[in-house]
Amino acid sequence: MNNAMVGRRAALATLGLGIAAGTSSLVAEAQAAEMTLAPGAKTLADLAAALEKAPRRRDFKTVPMILDNPDLWDAAALREVMGYRGGPKQVYDNVDIAGPWLNLMRNSLNAQIWSFKHPDFLVVSATHASAHLALLDQAMWDKYQLAKIPGGKIERNSFVQEQKGASADPKNYQDENGVFSPHNNSIPALQRRGVVFLACHNSIWEVTERLIGSDINPDKLSHEAMAAELTNHLVPGAVLTPGIVGTIAELVMVGFSFAK
C-alpha cells in the first residue's frame, strides 16, 4: 500500500454503503486511497474499510424511546470502533453546534500525527445535544426548521459542506490554508482523516419531542415515526448509538481517553 498522503476532493457520499468484495487487505487499501491518512496509518485504514462495509439500517418506520435491541442501532459499526486495535484513541464529548468542536478534533489529530508521531490515532466524536443537528441532512433541516433550535445563528447544515482548504495538496501538511488547516473544518474532511462521528438516539428522541411540542410536524407523525424519519436521515458515515452518554462509558472502558 502506498503510504503517501492521498486526498479525495469529493464528499464521502458512499461512506456506510458496501464496497466491492475482495480480500481484507485490498479493501483496506482501496479505502485508504479515498482518504487523507498519515503515512503508516494501516490500522486506521483497516478500521475505515470495516466501517465502510458495516451495515447501517436507515429504513425505520418507528423507533421506541429506549433502544433495547442491537437491531435498532448500528451495532456492527459500533463494535468495530470499540474493538479498534490501534492507538492512541480519543472520544470527544461534543454538545454545542456553535462551539469549536470540529476545530478541536482537527488540532488533536495534527498534534498526535505530526508532533507525537502516532499515525493510527483515532478520534471519535460523541455527538449529542445541539451538535447532533449537524448529523442530520439538509432535507431534515428544511422540513423541520432545525435552524431555529440553535437560535438562528446557523441557517444551514454547513458542517457537511466542503471547505476551500479541501482542494489543497495534502502532501503539504504545513499549508496554513490547506487540508489540515482551519480552512478545512468539516465533517467530510474529518471523516477522510478517520474520525468517526457517533450519532445519539436520545438526542433524536428529544429533538422530536421539541418539534412536536412546537407544532412543527407537517406530516402529523407520531413521536415514534418522526424519530424514525430523523434516524433515516443521518448523514453518510454516521454511526447510530442507543445513547451517547452511555456509549462514552463503554468507550472509556475499552481504553479511549475522554475529552471535552
Side-chain angles (χ1 to χ4, degrees), residues 56-71:
R56 312 284 204 279
R57 182 179 172 186
R58 299 294 184 263
D59 62 351
F60 293 103
K61 301 301 182 184
T62 63
V63 293
M65 181 179 72
I66 299 173
L67 302 188
D68 55 1
N69 187 312
D71 291 340

Side-chain angles (χ1 to χ4, degrees), residues 109-177:
L109 279 166
N110 289 351
Q112 279 287 319
I113 291 169
W114 286 293
S115 303
F116 297 112
K117 312 303 182 186
H118 294 145
D120 280 315
F121 177 58
L122 171 64
V123 171
V124 170
S125 173
T127 325
H128 57 134
S130 68
H132 195 271
L133 298 174
L135 298 187
L136 297 171
D137 66 24
Q138 188 60 45
M140 295 296 96
W141 275 64
D142 293 339
K143 180 175 182 178
Y144 291 111
Q145 305 171 47
L146 297 182
K148 292 182 176 180
I149 294 178
K153 298 178 181 179
I154 301 167
E155 296 181 356
R156 295 179 57 81
N157 188 0
S158 58
F159 302 91
V160 296
Q161 296 175 348
E162 292 287 3
Q163 305 300 304
K164 60 182 180 180
S167 61
D169 183 357
K171 293 179 182 178
N172 182 7
Y173 65 85
Q174 296 286 14
D175 184 353
E176 62 187 29
N177 297 304

Side-chain angles (χ1 to χ4, degrees), residues 66-90:
I66 299 173
L67 302 188
D68 55 1
N69 187 312
D71 291 340
L72 297 174
W73 67 86
D74 296 334
L78 185 57
R79 282 196 299 271
E80 294 290 348
V81 174
M82 294 182 64
Y84 182 60
R85 301 186 309 278
K89 46 193 181 182
Q90 187 173 50

Side-chain angles (χ1 to χ4, degrees), residues 5-8 32 34-38 113 170 179-180 189 191-194:
M5 285 285 194
V6 184
R8 184 178 64 172
E34 295 182 333
M35 301 185 75
T36 313
L37 299 180
I113 291 169
V179 171
F180 309 108
Q191 286 177 318
R192 286 194 291 272
R193 299 186 66 182

